[in-house]
Amino acid sequence: MLPPMIFLAIIVIGMVAGWIANRVVGARRGFTPLELLLVGLAGSVVGGTLFSVLLGEGFELRPGGFIGASIGAILLLAVYGPVRDRMGKTAS
């Protein structure tokens, strides 16, 4: 079991990754803070894990994982944005 501080660190990293992704690809789309948190967490899990493993850092909190989390969140937000826009147009 992971220590509680790791969970807090993962949430903070997810929030920062979501914010960075919003600045890079979604600034004009009006994403809610909850959407950014969820995209950041998902990007953090996928991108951070893949990047950490590729760099040989393992599953520890290191700078490579944060870079991967940000890249993962950017890619995820780039895909999610148009999907959300399209779903919003069909629902109205």
Side-chain angles (χ1 to χ4, degrees):
M1 175 128 177
L2 294 174
M5 290 304 290
I6 295 294
F7 287 116
L8 180 61
I10 290 170
I11 290 171
V12 169
I13 289 171
M15 290 172 67
V16 172
W19 180 81
I20 291 170
N22 186 46
R23 292 292 169 217
V24 173
V25 295
R28 295 189 178 164
R29 292 215 161 135
F31 292 108
T32 66
L34 180 61
E35 288 175 313
L36 295 176
L37 174 63
L38 293 175
V39 166
L41 288 173
S44 185
V45 169
V46 175
T49 301
L50 286 174
F51 211 77
S52 290
V53 170
L54 289 174
L55 291 178
E57 294 178 343
F59 295 106
E60 297 180 16
L61 294 176
R62 301 213 181 199
F66 178 72
I67 293 167
S70 298
I71 292 170
I74 289 168
L75 294 174
L76 193 58
L77 196 64
V79 170
Y80 172 69
V83 170
R84 185 189 79 153
D85 293 345
R86 197 168 302 136
M87 288 175 55
K89 289 178 183 174
T90 59
S92 47

